Amino acid sequence: MNDMKSVNALPADIDPIWAGDGSHLPEWFITALSVPREEGYVEISGAKVHYFRWGNRDKPKLLMTHGFLAHARCFAFIAPFFAQDYDVVAFDLAGMGDSEMRGSADTASRGQEFVEIAEALGLFADGHRPTIIAHSFGSGAALTAVTQSPHAFDGVVVCDLMIMRPEMLDGYWNKERSSPGSGNPDKPNRRYPSYKAARERYILSPPQPVAEPFLLDYIAYHSLRQERGEWTWKFSPEVFRRSNTPEEWLHMGKRLAQAPGRKAIIHGSKSMLFSPASADYIREIGGNDIPIISVPEARHHLMLDQPLAFVAAIEGVLAMWNTPPRIDSNEKV
């Protein structure tokens, strides 16, 4: 393959505004974004829900979603690696990315979104049960989904969800001074005179450097929209009308351990939000059967630090779940 490509040969997602001529982009990224996909909207409760879809409709189903204030393109360069063996959907949560806000932003409503999008796109057809793969805030919503509808999903892969012992969480809260993802639902999104001015204001939460800066540029660009010559954030301020208290996060570990069905955890080895102490805590409160995989050199935003290792970690979980259990020769069948 050529190391250099002209802009005209690049996938539509790679806009010159953030990518220039694209010559610095690795071949794997360009190839991933070139994998055929469907992009569209379905209407749910009178609001448009944005999604991408890859792969074969007859294959097992994967349902992917993102963290708070992010969007489905967090998985747009991850999902294509699964297109050969799966029917993969990545969607924008309500009020984020290109999905319109609908209903409430409370915990129960967020969980229901997984069932709604799966039904709308036929992921339950012919007895299929999708496996959920979700990052951060999306993982918390996914735990609600599998708890609300335990027979609807085949498992959930929780990717760097904030889980800490209560005493560690208290220390984190005191240091951060506010809940992660806090904001004012009654304040309109700020507007910027240029993309450059808006891009300078794009930061990750929690703040971190990224190992692959071009991926951060890609995510930042698709977090913004242009209106009447100005740039503003895509997310709706209404997403901040949600429960986001220390009490909620204090119980997140128990929610994960007690959630029905198959669960796996993938986290960054350098994550601020899920550490080896978090893994020990999960095991202590009943999660001994939950596989916990650490992605080396990755922080909270796994897909921006070690995207290919993140793919490999997901592949490992799915391969384990798809392998028939070993039967001991001494056991009766």
Side-chain angles (χ1 to χ4, degrees), residues 80-101:
F81 286 91
F82 301 90
Q84 182 173 341
D85 299 314
Y86 294 90
D87 177 12
V88 190
V89 169
F91 73 102
D92 292 333
L93 292 164
M96 302 184 209
D98 293 301
S99 286
E100 295 176 341
M101 191 65 204

Side-chain angles (χ1 to χ4, degrees), residues 209-238:
V210 295
E212 302 291 357
F214 74 92
L215 291 175
L216 182 59
D217 290 336
Y218 171 75
I219 296 299
Y221 175 77
H222 289 290
S223 298
L224 290 154
R225 66 174 183 270
Q226 193 172 18
E227 292 181 347
R228 299 184 297 277
E230 295 181 309
W231 291 81
T232 190
W233 307 111
K234 287 184 175 180
F235 68 82
S236 167
E238 288 294 316

Side-chain angles (χ1 to χ4, degrees), residues 16-28:
I17 290 178
W18 69 269
D21 65 2
S23 61
H24 65 296
L25 301 176
E27 191 69 29
W28 74 260

Side-chain angles (χ1 to χ4, degrees), residues 66-71 95-97 137 181-182 202 223 235-236 239-240:
H66 53 84
F68 196 60
L69 304 186
H71 45 78
M96 302 184 209
F137 170 83
S182 298
Y202 184 83
S223 298
F235 68 82
S236 167
V239 300
F240 294 115

Side-chain angles (χ1 to χ4, degrees), residues 41-57:
Y41 295 85
V42 291
E43 187 171 306
I44 299 174
S45 300
K48 291 182 179 179
V49 181
H50 175 251
Y51 72 92
F52 296 107
R53 193 169 192 171
W54 298 260
N56 188 322
R57 301 292 178 88

Side-chain angles (χ1 to χ4, degrees), residues 137-153:
F137 170 83
S139 292
L143 290 178
T144 301
V146 299
T147 301
Q148 291 172 331
S149 306
H151 303 297
F153 300 100

